[in-house]
DNA sequence: GCCAACGTTGGC
DNA sequence: GCCAACGTTGGC
């Protein structure tokens, strides 16, 4: 199976690119939509490329790139009655919902906004640019992925303007850890 | 906060 | 199976 590409939505209020960069890895869970579930369960494979999209944000847009580190597996939060996304229909024997793990790859100096995606040549067919598109995981064409990454890398941001302080001592060691929901329900 | 566009639910 | 009501998503 050739490498595929996806756009995954996250609400930064729940889990932002900052959190992701710090954690290095996260599980992307909380999907409670059948079409998205089928994609996670059947199509998403380790090594696939991911555009990390922040929705409900100002501006909404792609904040960076990730890679799938674990393909679809049952979303155990769905049968945890204390969890926000608990679903009584789902059980370990017969899981209704699936999730995947993603690994942090890169962060753009600034977000590639939805408006930019909509006006960029070559992205006319990207699902996320369509009105009313609510799917939380969307397939992305390899060419589209490349264009978005190029736009993101071409950005300048605070990180480039301000000079970075040279790292001192050893890098902070962080264990990629136990998880935080990708999205949160009020 | 507004509100349009979705997806789901449930009465019939 | 239809479809109205309702809850959610998500840009702005």
């Amino acid at each position: 199976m050739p490498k595929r590409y996806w756009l995954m939505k996250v609400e930064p209020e729940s889990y932002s690119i900052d959190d992701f960069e710090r954690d290095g890895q996260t599980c992307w869970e909380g999907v409670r939509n059948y079409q998205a579930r089928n994609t996670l369960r059947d199509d998403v494979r380790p090594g696939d490329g991911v555009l990390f999209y922040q929705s409900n944000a100002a501006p909404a847009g792609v904040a960076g790139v990730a890679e799938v580190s674990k393909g679809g597996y049952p979303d155990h939060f769905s049968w945890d009655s204390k969890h926000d996304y608990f679903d009584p229909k789902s059980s370990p024997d017969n899981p209704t919902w699936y999730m995947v793990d993603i690994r942090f790859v890169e962060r753009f100096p600034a977000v590639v906004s939805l408006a930019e995606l909509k006006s960029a040549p070559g992205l006319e067919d990207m699902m996320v640019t369509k009105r009313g598109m609510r799917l939380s995981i969307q397939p992305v064409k390899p060419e589209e992925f490349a264009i978005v990454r190029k736009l993101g890398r071409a950005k300048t941001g605070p990180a480039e303007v301000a000079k970075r302080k040279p790292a001192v001592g050893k890098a902070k060691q962080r264990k990629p850890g136990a998880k935080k929901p990708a999205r949160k329900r009020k």
Side-chain angles (χ1 to χ4, degrees):
Chain A
M1 186 65 63
K3 176 168 175 171
R4 300 188 199 186
Y5 297 90
W6 310 98
L7 178 145
M8 296 190 190
K9 293 184 187 173
V10 161
E11 296 194 24
E13 198 181 309
S14 302
Y15 197 81
S16 69
I17 190 79
D18 293 333
D19 299 316
F20 191 29
E21 184 171 27
R22 182 198 63 218
D23 293 344
Q25 177 158 322
T26 190
C27 61
W28 193 74
E29 56 93 15
V31 167
R32 297 293 180 267
N33 166 281
Y34 286 100
Q35 190 178 349
R37 186 279 309 270
N38 293 345
T39 299
L40 291 174
R41 187 190 56 196
D42 304 334
D43 300 328
V44 179
R45 292 263 154 17
D48 286 357
V50 174
L51 298 175
F52 189 90
Y53 182 91
Q54 298 186 331
S55 60
N56 260 320
V62 178
V65 171
E67 184 181 73
V68 176
S69 51
K70 184 175 179 183
Y73 63 102
D75 182 343
H76 56 268
F77 298 111
S78 66
W79 56 76
D80 174 359
S81 63
K82 292 184 293 299
H83 194 82
D84 283 348
Y85 289 159
F86 173 64
D87 180 349
K89 292 192 303 294
S90 187
S91 70
D93 287 343
N94 193 13
T96 307
W97 305 111
Y98 282 71
M99 61 195 202
V100 300
D101 290 352
I102 55 176
R103 182 185 315 126
F104 177 86
V105 173
E106 80 180 90
R107 175 193 186 132
F108 299 146
V111 167
V112 181
S113 72
L114 179 58
E116 293 172 82
L117 297 175
K118 284 179 173 169
S119 63
L123 301 184
E124 297 81 6
D125 294 334
M126 254 189 113
M127 291 178 80
V128 75
T129 65
K130 307 286 193 233
R131 181 145 188 276
M133 183 65 244
R134 287 168 39 173
L135 255 193
S136 52
I137 176 166
Q138 305 170 8
V140 171
K141 297 193 189 83
E143 316 86 77
E144 293 167 341
F145 182 89
I147 291 170
V148 174
R149 191 174 53 188
K150 187 171 178 186
L151 290 173
R153 287 175 173 173
K155 291 236 161 225
T156 54
E160 291 185 21
V161 177
K163 244 203 160 158
R164 273 185 184 271
K165 190 166 78 179
V168 173
K170 55 173 136 177
K172 222 186 331 191
Q173 198 54 38
R174 265 281 162 189
K175 72 182 45 148
K179 289 324 41 262
K180 229 168 163 186
R183 300 176 310 157
K184 165 178 78 185
R185 184 167 302 176
K186 298 267 151 70

